[in-house]
């Protein structure tokens, strides 16, 4: 596929416990703006979410935030975005972020980041989209997750082709280069006779 036009970034509403998380989030947003890629994200002004958004905006890029009404009312919504979409539920948020994006990247984050990214991985597995999905592995944050995915393959719960379609790495320029050549071939979910009982 060509370079993404709108990249959905999932990341923490916290900044983590090491400055490099913030530094890399800022650098990632700056690189997105330099490449002319719009940011789609959760609409917050706090943590790594706010850092990425601010960096894209500072670089002259477009930022679309999608946020549930409840979080707006808690005053965590970013007030300076190009566009903000307010929805009623978290499910609507995830769906709208998907609809606005043509690639998905996870920076370090917690349960919400995992939930959102794994939904996109599942949808890709089911053939609902063929967009690239990647984890930017800042400070080895996703090392154990990467090992777990390899374990899923070894135990025959995930096909090797499905695992290989997910990018892990620390070099964001390599990540952007990978997205430009990503082909998005669909491999059906692994179901064999032993998985089905008559």
């Amino acid at each position: 596929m060509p370079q993404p036009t709108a990249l959905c970034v999932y990341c923490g509403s916290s900044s983590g416990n090491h400055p490099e998380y913030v530094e890399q989030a800022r650098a990632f947003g700056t690189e997105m703006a330099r490449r002319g890629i719009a940011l789609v994200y959760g609409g917050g002004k706090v943590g790594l979410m706010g850092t990425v958004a601010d960096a894209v905006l500072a670089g002259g890029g477009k930022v679309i935030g999608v946020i549930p009404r409840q979080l707006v009312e808690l005053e965590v919504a970013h007030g300076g975005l190009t566009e903000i979409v307010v929805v009623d539920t978290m499910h609507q948020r995830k769906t709208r972020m998907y609809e606005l994006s043509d690639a998905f990247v996870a920076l370090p984050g917690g349960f919400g980041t995992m939930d959102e990214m794994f939904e996109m991985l599942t949808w890709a597995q089911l053939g609902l989209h063929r967009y690239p999905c990647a984890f930017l592995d800042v400070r080895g944050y996703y090392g154990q997750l990467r090992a777990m995915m390899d374990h899923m393959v070894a135990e025959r719960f995930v096909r090797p082709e499905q695992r290989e379609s997910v990018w892990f790495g620390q070099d964001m320029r390599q990540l952007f280069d990978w997205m430009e050549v990503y082909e998005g071939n669909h491999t059906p979910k692994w179901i064999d006779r032993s998985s089905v009982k008559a």
Side-chain angles (χ1 to χ4, degrees):
M1 63 176 287
Q3 176 176 270
T5 58
L7 174 56
C8 183
V9 174
Y10 303 122
C11 58
S13 57
S14 169
S15 295
N17 67 354
H18 195 282
E20 191 174 347
Y21 294 131
V22 172
E23 292 164 6
Q24 288 299 304
R26 184 177 297 116
F28 193 80
T30 299
E31 183 67 12
M32 285 184 62
R34 188 186 74 79
R35 291 173 180 260
I37 302 172
L39 168 65
V40 177
Y41 86 119
K45 64 182 179 182
V46 295
L48 298 187
M49 294 173 65
T51 299
V52 174
D54 288 341
V56 175
L57 292 168
K62 179 180 180 180
V63 179
I64 303 171
V66 184
I67 190 167
R69 197 173 310 279
Q70 177 188 13
L71 296 184
V72 173
E73 293 166 356
L74 291 174
E75 300 184 18
V76 298
H78 196 302
L81 305 181
T82 311
E83 180 182 351
I84 190 157
V85 179
V86 180
V87 295
D88 291 324
T89 69
M90 292 293 288
H91 293 293
Q92 291 173 350
R93 176 199 225 177
K94 289 190 286 185
T95 299
R96 189 63 184 134
M97 290 169 75
Y98 160 73
E99 292 170 344
L100 292 167
S101 307
D102 54 9
F104 305 90
V105 173
L107 275 59
F111 289 162
T113 300
M114 295 298 96
D115 169 53
E116 292 167 323
M117 191 60 170
F118 270 88
E119 185 154 7
M120 291 305 100
L121 293 175
T122 302
W123 289 9
Q125 184 183 55
L126 296 173
L128 300 179
H129 74 77
R130 297 192 179 186
Y131 298 139
C133 295
F135 291 84
L136 189 63
D137 194 17
V138 181
R139 288 181 51 81
Y141 184 77
Y142 285 119
Q144 294 182 62
L145 178 61
R146 184 175 189 172
M148 183 64 208
M149 287 190 183
D150 292 339
H151 183 61
M152 291 175 182
V153 173
E155 296 299 312
R156 291 175 56 88
F157 287 101
V158 173
R159 284 186 178 271
E161 299 90 345
Q162 293 165 343
R163 164 63 189 89
E164 290 163 7
S165 72
V166 184
W167 188 92
F168 282 85
Q170 300 180 24
D171 189 319
M172 65 181 175
R173 283 183 170 79
Q174 289 181 5
L175 167 54
F176 284 108
D177 290 345
W178 171 80
M179 286 192 288
E180 288 185 5
V181 300
Y182 180 80
E183 295 183 356
N185 295 325
H186 171 56
T187 303
K189 183 173 170 56
W190 202 336
I191 299 178
D192 58 26
R193 289 181 182 275
S194 66
S195 303
V196 180
K197 294 183 178 180

